[in-house]
Amino acid sequence: QLRAPYTEDAARAGALAASLAGPAYGLGDDLTTLDPARLAFGLSDDVLAFAHARRLAQPTDLLANPAEDVVVTPAIEVLVTPDRTAAQPPTAFSAEGDGGRLDVRFDWVGQQASVRRR
């Protein structure tokens, strides 16, 4: 999740997204061959703060952007019911850590993430 071909922004966003799983956070890269700068994304204070949060991160904008159209993908058309829709994933999450509240906001299109500590 950290190595090329991902951009640095995408690698950082990927590490933050994975860290929202809390203690289940893990890196899927071979750490012995990973560029040190990329490894720093996966072990950054922000990422580890979410991974070690007292409670799992919760979306703060769940269903803020409901889907307007029914989405049917040919590959899974058999499994999709006519009333099923697809909405954008949440973009904002919050968790309580040892240092206070942590907020992360994802720009899924731009593959970026920003963290704020309160």
Side-chain angles (χ1 to χ4, degrees):
Q1 71 202 32
L2 298 173
R3 65 187 180 283
Y6 298 112
T7 65
E8 288 186 3
D9 285 339
R12 184 171 185 272
L16 280 165
S19 74
L20 297 180
Y25 174 67
L27 296 171
D29 299 288
D30 179 351
L31 303 184
T32 63
T33 62
L34 195 60
D35 176 87
R38 295 292 181 118
L39 179 59
F41 294 145
L43 300 177
S44 72
D45 290 342
D46 289 338
V47 167
L48 295 180
F50 276 103
H52 296 136
R54 284 185 241 145
R55 280 180 258 150
L56 293 179
Q58 300 294 313
T60 58
D61 66 343
L62 188 61
L63 298 177
N65 300 304
E68 295 179 13
D69 297 322
V70 173
V71 176
V72 178
T73 303
I76 60 169
E77 188 171 78
V78 176
L79 304 174
V80 177
T81 58
D83 61 344
R84 179 137 183 186
T85 60
Q88 292 180 357
T91 59
F93 293 82
S94 181
E96 293 293 327
D98 290 336
R101 183 177 165 143
L102 301 160
D103 296 310
V104 63
R105 181 165 292 279
F106 292 98
D107 170 2
W108 298 116
V109 175
Q111 297 182 348
Q112 297 180 5
S114 60
V115 175
R116 186 174 80 184
R117 294 171 181 255
R118 293 195 264 167

